Amino acid sequence: MMVPVRCFTCGNPVAEYWDEYKARANTHDGDEDPEEVLDDLGLDRYCCRRMLVSHDDLVDVVSPYQ
């Protein structure tokens, strides 16, 4: 789950790409290059790419009740 749902700069929806990006570009495991994953997802704008690359998933930290 990604919050915010839209890119701050251009307003394009980016949350729909988060789960696939997170699964494929997990940099800790060295799966795929994040740049290639973003290209495959069709995200060409710098601002949208920045939103995904710099996002930190804090849902588990914020909501202790699962």
Side-chain angles (χ1 to χ4, degrees):
M1 178 177 171
M2 181 178 178
V3 176
V5 176
R6 294 185 172 271
C7 177
F8 286 138
T9 307
C10 68
N12 285 339
V14 292
E16 62 192 35
Y17 302 110
W18 174 247
D19 290 330
E20 185 174 354
Y21 174 77
K22 184 176 157 185
R24 290 177 55 192
N26 188 356
T27 55
H28 300 294
D29 296 337
D31 294 340
E32 290 185 52
D33 184 26
E35 182 180 356
E36 292 176 8
V37 174
L38 292 171
D39 289 339
D40 289 344
L41 293 174
L43 290 171
D44 297 331
R45 297 184 67 132
Y46 171 77
C47 58
C48 296
R49 293 168 78 99
R50 181 202 62 219
M51 288 288 293
L52 288 177
V53 171
S54 65
H55 181 69
D56 191 13
D57 221 0
L58 296 176
V59 173
D60 296 334
V61 175
V62 174
S63 63
Y65 306 105
Q66 294 187 19

